[in-house]
C-alpha cells in the first residue's frame, strides 16, 4: 500500500503551525519532535491500512507534552484526554544510555493515545479494559518503533494475545483488539469477551496486577492465577465447538508464557502450560475426530 507522504506532511504542517509547542520548519530534521511525528504517521499508515489520521491532526493543534514524575504510578507513559496532554517518564528521558526503555517506543505510545482519543479517553475507552488498553498501545508502538527491554506490559500482552485468539475461534467477524482500539469500541469488545466467558472479575484481576507493577510491587503469583483462568476458559470454549481450528490452537500455544522471560518458574507457570498443552491436544483429537466421523456418515447417507 502506498502512503501519501506529501499529504501527511501538509496536514501535519497545518497542525504544527496552530500549536506554539511545534515548529513546522523542523520537519525533515533528525531528532526533532516534529520529524518524529511525521515518521510515526507514515509508519502507522503503512502498518494499519486505511487508518484515519484526521483526529490526530486535530488533536496535535492543542496537544501538550509534559514529563511524568518518576514517582508516578502510571508507568512510563500516560495521557489525559480531557486536557489533551501526553506524559513521558523522566526516568527513560534522563537515564537510558543503553536504550532499555526505547524512548521512541514511549513517544509512539503517546502519539497512539493522542490519535485514538476523544473528549474523555483513548483506545478502548473502557475502565475494565484499561490494562489491556495499555498493552495494546505498547504492542502497536512496538511494531512502529521496536520493543523495549524495560516495560510493564509482558503479562498483559500475553493475556491480550490469548484473548484475541479466543475471539477468532468464536467468530471471525468479531471485533478484535486492534479494531476496537482504533474505533473507541471498547463496549462492543467487552460484550464479545463476555460471550467467550471473560467476565469483569477476571478483567479486574488483570487491571489489579498492572496497577501493582506500576507501583513497583511484585506479585508474580497473581499472574499465575490469571493465566490459569485463561487456559481453563480456553479449554471450556473449545469444548463447545463442533470443530477446532488447528491453526488458531497453535496461535494460542505460541502465546504461552515463557518462564525464562520473567522467572516465573517458582509459581507453576511452566507446569500450568504443560497441563494446557495436554488438555488442548486431547480436545483437538476428540472433537475433530467426532466431527470427521459425522462428515463421513453424512456422505454415506
Amino acid at each position: 500500500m502506498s502512503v501519501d507522504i506529501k499529504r501527511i506532511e501538509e496536514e501535519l504542517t497545518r497542525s504544527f503551525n496552530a500549536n506554539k509547542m511545534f515548529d513546522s520548519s523542523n520537519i525533515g530534521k533528525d531528532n526533532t519532535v516534529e520529524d518524529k511525528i511525521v515518521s510515526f504517521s507514515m509508519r502507522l499508515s503503512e502498518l494499519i491500512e486505511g487508518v484515519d489520521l484526521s483526529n490526530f491532526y486535530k488533536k496535535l493543534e492543542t496537544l501538550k507534552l509534559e514529563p511524568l514524575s518518576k514517582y508516578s504510578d502510571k508507568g512510563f507513559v500516560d495521557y489525559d484526554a480531557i486536557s489533551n496532554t501526553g506524559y513521558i517518564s523522566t526516568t527513560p528521558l534522563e537515564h537510558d544510555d543503553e536504550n532499555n526503555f526505547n524512548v521512541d517506543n514511549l513517544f509512539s505510545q503517546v502519539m497512539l493515545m493522542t490519535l485514538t482519543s476523544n473528549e474523555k479517553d483513548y483506545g478502548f475507552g473502557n475502565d475494565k479494559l484499561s490494562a489491556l488498553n495499555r498493552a495494546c498501545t505498547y504492542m502497536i508502538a512496538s511494531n512502529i518503533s521496536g520493543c523495549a527491554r524495560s516495560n510493564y506490559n509482558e503479562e498483559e500482552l500475553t493475556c491480550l494475545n490469548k484473548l484475541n485468539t479466543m475471539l477468532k475461534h468464536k467468530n471471525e467477524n468479531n471485533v478484535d483488539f486492534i479494531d476496537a482500539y482504533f474505533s473507541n469500541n471498547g463496549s462492543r469488545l467487552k460484550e464479545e469477551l463476555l460471550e467467550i466467558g471473560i467476565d469483569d472479575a477476571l478483567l479486574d484481576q488483570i487491571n489489579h496486577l498492572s496497577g501493582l507493577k506500576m507501583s513497583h510491587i511484585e506479585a508474580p503469583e497473581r499472574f499465575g492465577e490469571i493465566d490459569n483462568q485463561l487456559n481453563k476458559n480456553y479449554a471450556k470454549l473449545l469444548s463447545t465447538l463442533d470443530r477446532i481450528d488447528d491453526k488458531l490452537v497453535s496461535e494460542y500455544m505460541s502465546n504461552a508464557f515463557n518462564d525464562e522471560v520473567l522467572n516465573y518458574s517458582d509459581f507453576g507457570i511452566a507446569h500450568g502450560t504443560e497441563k494446557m498443552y495436554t488438555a488442548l491436544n486431547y480436545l483437538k483429537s476428540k472433537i475433530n475426530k467426532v466431527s470427521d466421523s459425522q462428515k463421513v456418515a453424512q456422505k454415506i447417507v
Side-chain angles (χ1 to χ4, degrees):
M1 182 192 69
S2 61
V3 176
D4 193 339
I5 299 175
K6 183 177 179 181
R7 180 180 179 186
I8 289 176
E9 289 186 344
E10 289 176 348
E11 294 289 350
L12 288 175
T13 296
R14 278 191 280 271
S15 299
F16 294 155
N17 287 338
N19 189 333
K20 293 181 179 180
M21 184 179 71
F22 299 119
D23 182 351
S24 60
S25 67
N26 283 330
I27 295 178
K29 296 180 181 179
D30 291 341
N31 297 319
T32 62
V33 171
E34 294 81 1
D35 200 56
K36 287 181 181 296
I37 292 176
V38 174
S39 296
F40 163 83
S41 303
M42 292 180 182
R43 290 175 184 170
L44 180 63
S45 297
E46 293 171 351
L47 180 67
I48 308 293
E49 185 174 357
V51 64
D52 185 0
L53 297 177
S54 57
N55 186 60
F56 186 51
Y57 300 140
K58 180 180 179 181
K59 291 289 183 177
L60 286 174
E61 294 179 1
T62 58
L63 177 68
K64 296 180 288 293
L65 295 175
E66 302 286 348
L68 183 65
S69 170
K70 64 180 180 180
Y71 301 109
S72 170
D73 62 354
K74 300 295 184 181
F76 298 130
V77 296
D78 194 30
Y79 176 77
D80 180 4
I82 296 176
S83 65
N84 191 23
T85 304
Y87 298 90
I88 298 180
S89 171
T90 56
T91 299
L93 291 176
E94 298 171 357
H95 309 286
D96 193 21
D97 294 337
E98 297 181 359
N99 200 31
N100 289 320
F101 299 96
N102 190 345
V103 175
D104 284 342
N105 179 293
L106 299 178
F107 184 76
S108 289
Q109 287 187 59
V110 173
M111 293 300 101
L112 285 166
M113 293 172 175
T114 304
L115 184 149
T116 61
S117 67
N118 49 40
E119 299 308 315
K120 59 180 181 177
D121 47 40
Y122 73 93
F124 306 146
N126 188 297
D127 289 341
K128 294 294 183 182
L129 300 171
S130 60
L132 295 173
N133 202 20
R134 284 181 170 271
C136 192
T137 303
Y138 172 76
M139 179 177 68
I140 300 168
S142 296
N143 280 278
I144 295 172
S145 304
C147 300
R149 285 189 289 272
S150 296
N151 67 82
Y152 289 106
N153 300 285
E154 292 96 340
E155 294 94 337
E156 292 86 341
L157 270 177
T158 297
C159 295
L160 185 150
N161 287 324
K162 285 187 172 184
L163 290 171
N164 225 21
T165 302
M166 292 186 210
L167 289 173
K168 292 178 185 177
H169 271 293
K170 191 66 176 178
N171 186 346
E172 285 290 347
N173 294 322
N174 276 4
V175 64
D176 63 14
F177 283 88
I178 298 295
D179 292 334
Y181 186 85
F182 283 102
S183 62
N184 294 136
N185 210 345
S187 57
R188 182 182 169 193
L189 176 61
K190 189 170 177 298
E191 289 173 2
E192 293 184 352
L193 289 173
L194 183 60
E195 288 178 6
I196 60 172
I198 306 301
D199 58 14
D200 284 357
L202 182 53
L203 295 175
D204 285 340
Q205 289 182 55
I206 298 173
N207 287 339
H208 183 58
L209 173 63
S210 180
L212 289 175
K213 290 194 302 174
M214 289 193 292
S215 298
H216 310 290
I217 299 173
E218 298 296 332
E221 71 283 355
R222 297 290 179 87
F223 177 69
E225 297 167 359
I226 293 169
D227 196 54
N228 192 42
Q229 289 184 62
L230 288 173
N231 293 340
K232 285 183 177 179
N233 188 80
Y234 188 49
K236 183 178 180 181
L237 171 65
L238 293 186
S239 68
T240 67
L241 304 177
D242 295 328
R243 185 170 180 80
I244 295 176
D245 187 326
D246 289 350
K247 182 178 179 181
L248 290 179
V249 169
S250 296
E251 179 181 306
Y252 186 90
M253 288 182 171
S254 71
N255 287 300
F257 202 83
N258 183 348
D259 241 0
E260 298 176 359
V261 176
L262 291 179
N263 191 23
Y264 272 103
S265 56
D266 293 337
F267 299 92
I269 300 295
H271 180 62
T273 298
E274 290 174 3
K275 290 174 66 176
M276 178 191 75
Y277 285 160
T278 301
L280 294 186
N281 285 329
Y282 171 76
L283 283 169
K284 282 170 59 181
S285 62
K286 182 179 180 181
I287 294 174
N288 289 350
K289 184 176 180 181
V290 171
S291 180
D292 289 339
S293 299
Q294 291 173 344
K295 287 183 178 180
V296 171
Q298 290 172 356
K299 288 182 179 179
I300 294 176
V301 173

